[in-house]
Amino acid sequence: QVQLVESGGGLVQPGGSLRLSCPASEYIRDYYAIGWFRSAPGKTREGVACFSSGVRGSYYADSVKGRFTISTDDAQNTVYLEMNYLEPEDTAVYYCAAGTGAYGSRCLSWIEYDYWGQGTQVTVSS
């Protein structure tokens, strides 16, 4: 079972930046889709950014394109989410997840994932 632990959340002013990290307990680069998701009160869980299973395409929610970047450090088995130009609407608990069989843009769908971290709070406020 893959274990994931997010870190890097916090309070940031609008227009600021944060970098979330998610080390995995095993090598996941070749076998799993890897995604970042977020949950805010009153809103459904949203796929933010992901690498798909198989051919490693990256996908982003329209709301974060051009501002967020997903990346991996394979040597460290770690997934990152670089978040720039943060907006109050980005406030949420952010989760990383790993799963098999999430191909193409389906990797933005949370139902495709088997393993989840505990989440890290991101608050964007002045």
Side-chain angles (χ1 to χ4, degrees):
Q1 183 169 345
V2 178
Q3 295 181 341
L4 305 163
V5 181
E6 303 92 338
S7 64
L11 173 64
V12 63
Q13 292 187 342
S17 299
L18 283 174
R19 189 193 196 198
L20 306 183
S21 299
C22 180
S25 59
E26 62 184 71
Y27 186 73
I28 58 175
R29 187 70 169 86
D30 289 341
Y31 306 110
Y32 292 90
I34 308 165
W36 285 96
F37 298 81
R38 63 187 182 186
S39 293
K43 297 182 180 180
T44 57
R45 190 179 311 184
E46 178 185 21
V48 175
C50 62
F51 284 117
S52 66
S53 300
V55 177
R56 277 297 189 182
S58 60
Y59 297 85
Y60 296 88
D62 288 342
S63 58
V64 307
K65 282 180 181 177
R67 301 189 298 123
F68 290 11
T69 303
I70 186 173
S71 63
T72 62
D73 181 336
D74 296 341
Q76 300 294 325
N77 294 337
T78 300
V79 183
Y80 300 98
L81 184 68
E82 185 76 32
M83 304 187 294
N84 298 312
Y85 305 106
L86 283 161
E87 304 168 351
E89 293 74 22
D90 296 318
T91 296
V93 177
Y94 284 71
Y95 301 89
C96 67
T100 58
Y103 296 95
S105 60
R106 286 176 57 187
C107 69
L108 285 173
S109 174
W110 65 268
I111 63 174
E112 302 288 346
Y113 288 79
D114 307 299
Y115 306 106
W116 293 82
Q118 84 289 348
T120 185
Q121 176 70 47
V122 172
T123 303
V124 184
S125 175
S126 56

